[in-house]
Amino acid sequence: NKERINMGEFNKKNLLKYLEEFTDVYINSPIKDNAGGMGFNHSYFTYFVFKEIQPQLAIESGVWKGHSTYLIEKALPSCELICLDINFEKLIYKSEKATYFDTDSGV
C-alpha cells in the first residue's frame, strides 16, 4: 500500500478557494510573456497544489524564465527552493531565496 497525499476533495468549491489571490499573483508576475512555459490554468493548478500540500522543500527541474519559481515562492514564502536548469539564459525572475544549480536532475 502506497501512502497517498490527501489533496482534499476535488470539487468546484475546493478548487476555486485560492483563485482570487492567485489572480493577483499572476497579474503581478514579473514575466509578462511566458511563451514556452505554463499558462494561466497550469499555473493556477501548480499554485493550488503547493498551497494544499505545504511542502518544506521544492525542487524545480527546468526553470525557463522563472515563472514557476515565482509561483512557488508566492504560494509558500518560507519553502526552501532548489532550482535546476542546464541553461539560465532565458531567466527573467531569479528568487533571492532559491538556490540555483546549472545541472540536470540526472533522472
Side-chain angles (χ1 to χ4, degrees):
N1 254 345
K2 290 185 178 180
E3 190 174 321
R4 297 179 68 180
I5 295 172
N6 182 1
M7 289 288 294
E9 290 183 51
F10 278 94
N11 58 45
K12 186 175 182 179
K13 183 179 178 184
N14 191 37
L15 287 173
L16 297 178
K17 71 182 179 182
Y18 303 115
L19 187 58
E20 191 173 326
E21 73 181 62
F22 168 76
T23 301
D24 288 336
V25 167
Y26 190 83
I27 289 170
N28 292 306
S29 172
I31 297 142
K32 301 305 178 197
D33 177 7
N34 199 38
M38 292 189 293
F40 185 89
N41 294 342
H42 288 115
S43 296
Y44 178 62
F45 190 70
T46 298
Y47 188 85
F48 174 86
V49 168
F50 274 92
K51 293 288 276 188
E52 286 292 297
I53 65 174
Q54 298 278 313
Q56 294 178 1
L57 170 67
I59 300 173
E60 180 182 14
S61 178
V63 178
W64 187 235
K65 295 180 181 181
H67 176 72
S68 51
T69 306
Y70 168 78
L71 294 178
I72 296 166
E73 188 174 84
K74 291 298 182 183
L76 297 173
S78 62
C79 180
E80 183 180 355
L81 185 54
I82 297 172
C83 301
L84 310 172
D85 207 315
I86 58 171
N87 184 343
F88 289 109
E89 289 179 14
K90 301 286 185 184
L91 191 64
I92 294 171
Y93 179 76
K94 185 171 184 180
S95 171
E96 302 266 332
K97 299 175 184 178
T99 303
Y100 289 83
F101 294 98
D102 59 348
T103 186
D104 193 333
S105 65
V107 177

